Amino acid sequence: MLILHCPYCGVDADETELSPGGEAHLKRFGPGSSDEDFQDYLFARENPRGVHFERWRHAAGCGKWFHAARSTDTLEVFGTYSAQTTEPPKEICDRISGKRPGWTWRLFG
């Protein structure tokens, strides 16, 4: 079972208390963007095997959105952090790099 720590209310919540929101850190395009950019925003996803950054909502708790860094192949959680951040915190990236040498953060999209 997936258990994520809500960075807002401090609760370790299991997946039955959470709602998934898809990939985190996507570049969102505003009015005037091309149809191709908008299509990519809606449908194109990296879907990697390994480290992935996701959006989650603590639906049965405080109701706030947050981001989680986890491995899609082992379900190992590297950490959670505020949804208002534009990239993962350094300590989470360091934790991932320590367990997966050669891994580096890059913004998708």
Side-chain angles (χ1 to χ4, degrees), residues 14-70:
D14 69 56
E15 59 194 284
T16 62
E17 299 177 46
L18 304 167
S19 296
E23 188 175 342
H25 305 296
L26 294 176
K27 183 175 181 184
R28 288 155 173 81
F29 294 93
S33 63
S34 71
D35 288 344
E36 183 178 300
D37 285 340
F38 190 63
Q39 175 182 316
D40 287 347
Y41 166 69
L42 289 177
F43 302 111
R45 297 294 181 264
E46 289 294 320
N47 196 23
R49 179 177 183 198
V51 178
H52 192 56
F53 296 90
E54 303 168 323
R55 292 171 34 91
W56 289 88
R57 181 173 175 261
H58 192 184
C62 65
K64 293 186 179 181
W65 286 95
F66 62 91
H67 291 165
R70 71 177 186 97

Side-chain angles (χ1 to χ4, degrees), residues 71-87:
S71 173
T72 58
D73 52 356
T74 65
L75 297 182
E76 179 181 9
V77 177
F78 298 104
T80 59
Y81 53 100
S82 166
Q84 284 71 38
T85 58
T86 57
E87 60 185 48

